[in-house]
């Protein structure tokens, strides 16, 4: 049987995993797709570099055109990352009629629309399961498993680096800077950790999930992002005392046809299944109108988990090739995108205030909430052992972001309030 | 656009949900598949019965042939349950070239092979996502999401009734009979609960999952089954004290090409994600060689969750119709089935013994384990406040089922042992 020939762009962590799976699972894969799968060419930066998989020298190339313009190659697997020249390679490969499997969330979040349009024009598949939540097949689940349902909410722990940091801070009571250094030493965080810790990586993934879940074309700039670098260990201690775990959540919500997508540190009730997702694991919680509550849990990154998703996509492409139906299963967003305004985005809030320790303060503060119609779940005032101010911990009921902004603005002008020490969204 | 016409066999709980979703989500569904989906005929037992969805009288029929032999109908959705006449209806529908979506685990576990063979012959789709774990798209996940991986272990909490009972027993310290009555009153257990509580329902689902996960034709009779009706509330109290939750687990394992599938009450370490799956929720934990640990959690039954899976299958069938590729995506088991023998099935054990309260007993007992090469994790002896015997609680390391059987047999002949009060598998 004629083998299916694959060109691999990149031989880093994920690329190495792809080679291992395609070679190691060859019998199982060919039993499923009906032909051998052969990796024909691999684009690398440096032919001489030592590698942890043995690859015949003649398979390696430093020239992308050896893959993209190679008439023997049926499918291009892109695991080199980055935006350029990667995008150009993918567009050219599609132009040549090659199918594409990519693990590139940045590219799909920023240029997914253009890439999918080219794929449709050329009747090619572009699959990108590995771009979100590594080994968890969440993109398939949204596209197919829940095709019949109307998704109302997607909450994701979709960045392993920040979840590792927050888990360590919670379990060991350690500070952010200290744990970040540890994560860097372990290879879980990059030397420039900005994209992870400031929530940008999670935002890209949430844009992809929201687009699929809500059938609207959600772009990266539609996602309201706040990272974890300002979280103090005291915040996490407060959260735990109140029965919450601090998590960096991506939250995509739909109410009628209005949607919102945010990434923000959130206090998650310990009774919520997401609260127990620890370390570098990822999880995506999906709430559908008909199905109700579901959750999908697994490794969010790493050589073999991510490669599992890449090769599962490769299997799907090859099955489509055999059936002659490539390029016909992509979902195109068919709903106009309508973003919620601040007064439509509603959630519970945790607020920690430092205030003057004198009579009547609590009354003044609760009066402010009343003025903007924010009702309160609990208010606790306690003396602060470290300084003369008192601490007030407030948890609100559901309140609109617009109202909360007014509350905070009013607080700025209230003399008895020394500072708003912390404010977090609360879920569950 | 010409509508796709569906015949519905059965209008019970799930059938009603299917009608609600197809009607309520019509705009979304037709946007995805490119045609309206119309429920054309519904087979019911009694035309006069009051129903919770309004259906025009002329759509109802008491004659299956109005659907099966109706040339207008493209897809038959079977939600009537049972083996006969259901199987006959499905086989006839396939013979007529109609695609089938079914939620029938009994039928798929017992006759799946024959049904899939007929489907292949007639180039028809047979999809059955709803047959296992209701709203969780676990069949798709095994067939597609993990197509690239080699699954080593599937652990399922796949029966909501028993999980509800065990959760209540654990949380409230209540006895089995009492909680079973409550479950029956709430409609979570049937008046004859045998199929659920004796593990047969879970065994059918595990046979389906093991077949897909291991690419071997696992039959119901290959599953070693033990139910929950013998679990005492003391057992659950012991489990909790030792850091475990009692769950009815389906466990399918593969080592090289040998497999085993069991359903049995198991003490699950509270650190394992399955330990927190409570009430009627289901979860399936999948361990793949490449992907590692994953878990899929959601509602295991109920009108709307199960209907979500049924209609997702219907969407998949219709997409295949449009592409002209029906009947070509089924997985056929391609591996010879080799079942593990008792000496290859290995796990940790919890054993509670009542013994004579005298010197030397512990030495005699530990000697028996040593004789059969079972090493022990912990042994605790304690006086029993309720009778003159002492209790010994033993947790073993991994031990083969064959060795454990020899240990139990030896215990039967050991005078100092009054009784083996309980014995459970331990996971995590």
């Amino acid at each position: 049987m004629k083998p299916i020939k694959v060109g691999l762009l990149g031989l880093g962590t994920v690329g190495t995993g792809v080679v291992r799976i395609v070679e190691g699972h060859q019998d199982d894969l060919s039993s499923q797709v009906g032909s051998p799968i052969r990796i024909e060419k691999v684009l690398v930066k440096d032919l001489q570099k030592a590698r942890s998989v043995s690859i015949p020298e003649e398979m390696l190339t430093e020239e992308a055109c050896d893959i993209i313009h190679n008439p023997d190659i049926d499918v291009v697997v892109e695991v080199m990352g980055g935006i350029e020249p990667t995008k150009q390679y993918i567009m050219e490969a599609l132009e040549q009629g090659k199918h594409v499997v990519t693990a590139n969330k940045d590219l799909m979040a920023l240029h997914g629309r253009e890439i999918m349009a080219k794929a449709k024009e050329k009747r090619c598949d572009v699959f990108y399961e590995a771009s979100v939540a590594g080994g968890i097949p969440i993109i398939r689940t949204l596209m197919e498993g829940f095709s019949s349902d109307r998704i109302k909410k997607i909450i994701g722990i979709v960045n392993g680096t920040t979840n590792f940091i927050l888990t360590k801070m919670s379990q060991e009571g350690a500070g952010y800077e200290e744990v970040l250094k540890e994560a860097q030493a372990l290879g879980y965080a990059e030397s420039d950790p900005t994209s992870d810790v400031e929530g940008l990586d999670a935002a890209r993934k949430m844009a992809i999930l929201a687009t699929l879940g809500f059938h609207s074309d959600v772009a990266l700039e539609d996602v309201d992002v706040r990272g974890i670098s300002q979280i103090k260990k005291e915040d996490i201690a407060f959260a735990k005392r109140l029965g919450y775990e601090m998590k960096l959540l991506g939250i995509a919500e739909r109410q009628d046809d209005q949607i919102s997508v945010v990434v923000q540190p959130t206090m998650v009730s310990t009774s919520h299944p997401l609260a127990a997702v620890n370390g570098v694991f990822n999880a995506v919680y999906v709430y559908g109108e008909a199905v109700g509550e579901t959750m999908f849990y697994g490794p969010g990154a790493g050589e073999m988990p991510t490669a599992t998703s890449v090769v599962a996509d490769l299997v799907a492409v090859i099955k489509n090739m055999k059936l002659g139906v490539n390029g016909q299963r992509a979902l195109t967003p068919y709903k106009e995108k309508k973003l919620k305004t601040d007064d439509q985005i509603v959630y519970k809030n945790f607020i920690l205030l430092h205030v003057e320790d004198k009579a009547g303060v609590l009354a003044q503060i609760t009066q402010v909430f009343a003025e903007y119609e924010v009702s309160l779940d609990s208010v606790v005032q306690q003396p602060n052992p470290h300084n003369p101010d008192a601490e007030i911990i407030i948890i609100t009921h559901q309140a609109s972001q617009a109202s909360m902004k007014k509350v905070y603005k009013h607080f700025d002008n209230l003399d008895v309030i020394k500072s708003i020490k912390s404010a977090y969204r609360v879920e569950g």
Side-chain angles (χ1 to χ4, degrees), chain A:
Chain A
M1 186 74 81
K2 193 170 155 276
I4 301 294
K5 293 184 181 169
V6 176
L8 194 58
L9 300 177
L11 192 58
T13 307
V14 180
T16 304
V18 170
V19 173
R20 280 192 223 279
I21 293 182
V22 171
E23 291 185 351
H25 299 191
Q26 184 62 229
D27 289 350
D28 283 275
L29 294 172
S30 56
S31 296
Q32 283 184 65
V33 300
S35 325
I37 301 176
R38 187 189 296 163
I39 295 177
E40 185 77 4
K41 276 279 174 206
V42 183
L43 176 69
V44 295
K45 278 191 203 139
D46 175 1
L47 291 176
Q48 307 310 323
K49 195 179 155 187
R51 310 191 184 278
S52 65
V53 280
S54 79
I55 292 190
E57 209 171 300
E58 65 275 15
M59 266 174 62
L60 300 177
T61 176
E62 291 178 356
E63 300 298 330
C65 69
D66 288 348
I67 290 173
I68 294 163
H69 293 274
N70 183 337
D72 282 349
I73 284 176
D74 306 293
V75 188
V76 171
V77 171
E78 184 275 301
V79 286
M80 58 191 280
I83 301 294
E84 286 298 354
T86 320
K87 183 187 160 204
Q88 185 198 330
Y89 293 168
I90 286 180
M91 294 300 277
E92 279 181 41
L94 290 170
E95 192 60 47
Q96 300 297 316
K98 299 187 194 313
H99 310 295
V100 172
V101 173
T102 174
N104 196 325
K105 64 198 163 283
D106 304 5
L107 195 58
M108 290 311 293
L110 292 172
H111 303 289
R113 190 179 194 159
E114 187 184 346
I115 290 168
M116 296 314 290
K118 173 60 75 182
K120 196 173 179 184
E121 177 200 328
K122 306 300 289 187
R123 293 219 157 200
C124 287
D125 282 331
V126 173
F127 287 167
Y128 50 99
E129 182 64 76
S131 68
V132 181
I136 309 173
I138 187 63
I139 289 182
R140 272 187 177 70
T141 297
L142 289 174
M143 287 179 65
E144 295 169 23
F146 295 148
S147 59
S148 56
D149 205 356
R150 289 196 295 227
I151 305 300
K152 286 198 72 139
K153 195 166 187 173
I154 303 171
I155 312 184
I157 294 178
V158 288
N159 180 275
T161 306
T162 48
N163 204 49
F164 174 84
I165 292 173
L166 293 175
T167 302
K168 277 268 175 183
M169 287 175 75
S170 170
Q171 289 176 350
E172 297 171 7
Y176 169 76
E177 291 296 341
E178 177 189 339
V179 180
L180 173 61
K181 284 202 183 75
E182 189 182 344
Q184 285 169 323
L186 287 165
Y188 291 152
E190 308 201 28
S191 52
D192 174 1
T194 313
S195 166
D196 289 320
V197 301
E198 296 307 341
L200 302 173
D201 174 85
R204 291 181 190 121
K205 293 164 178 169
M206 291 308 298
I208 295 172
L209 294 183
T211 297
L212 292 170
F214 301 148
H215 303 290
S216 285
D217 196 14
V218 178
L220 182 57
E221 56 267 29
D222 300 325
V223 186
D224 195 9
V225 187
R226 179 179 152 202
I228 67 162
S229 60
Q230 303 307 313
I231 298 176
K232 296 176 287 289
K233 62 181 173 185
E234 293 74 27
D235 297 338
I236 290 180
F238 268 117
K240 285 171 78 89
R241 226 168 61 202
L242 296 166
Y244 298 96
E245 288 287 345
M246 188 76 79
K247 295 289 177 192
L248 181 68
L249 297 188
I251 305 176
E253 286 178 288
R254 179 183 64 78
Q255 186 97 49
D256 302 321
D257 58 350
Q258 310 280 116
I259 63 178
S260 66
V261 188
V262 302
V263 169
Q264 59 194 166
T266 305
M267 285 169 40
V268 184
S269 163
T270 49
S271 66
H272 195 288
L274 286 170
V277 176
N278 289 323
V280 293
F281 274 88
N282 277 200
V284 182
Y285 171 98
V286 179
Y287 188 91
E289 284 184 17
V291 77
E293 275 191 278
T294 61
M295 193 177 83
F296 307 91
Y297 167 93
E303 176 182 310
M304 298 307 278
T306 310
T308 302
S309 287
V310 170
V311 182
D313 277 351
L314 181 59
V315 166
V317 168
I318 298 171
K319 286 183 178 172
N320 284 347
M321 286 171 65
K322 301 274 170 157
L323 297 172
V325 294
N326 296 106
Q328 296 181 59
R329 288 181 176 270
L331 281 189
T332 310
Y334 56 85
K335 285 193 178 151
E336 193 196 342
K337 177 176 66 187
K338 294 184 196 164
L339 294 175
K340 286 189 190 180
T341 54
D342 266 0
D343 57 312
Q344 293 169 316
I345 299 176
V346 167
Y347 49 85
K348 290 192 272 185
N349 298 266
F350 162 94
I351 306 141
L352 171 62
L353 302 174
H354 277 197
V355 300
E356 284 182 25
D357 194 0
K358 65 179 187 187
V361 171
L362 207 52
Q364 279 190 62
I365 288 168
T366 52
Q367 176 54 34
V368 175
F369 284 102
E371 190 174 335
Y372 301 106
E373 293 180 347
V374 174
S375 72
L376 302 181
D377 178 84
S378 64
V379 181
V380 176
Q381 180 167 8
Q382 57 187 22
N384 183 330
H386 305 299
N387 72 38
D389 302 330
E391 285 177 342
I392 294 184
I393 300 153
I394 296 154
I395 303 215
T396 73
H397 285 133
Q398 301 279 348
S400 78
Q401 208 160 262
S403 300
M404 289 307 300
K405 282 184 180 170
K406 287 179 201 155
V407 167
Y408 295 132
K409 196 165 172 202
H410 197 133
F411 281 173
D412 281 343
N413 299 317
L414 209 63
D415 286 344
V416 296
I417 295 183
K418 300 293 193 69
S419 67
I420 302 169
K421 295 297 283 184
S422 308
Y424 294 102
R425 179 171 178 146
V426 173
E427 274 291 319

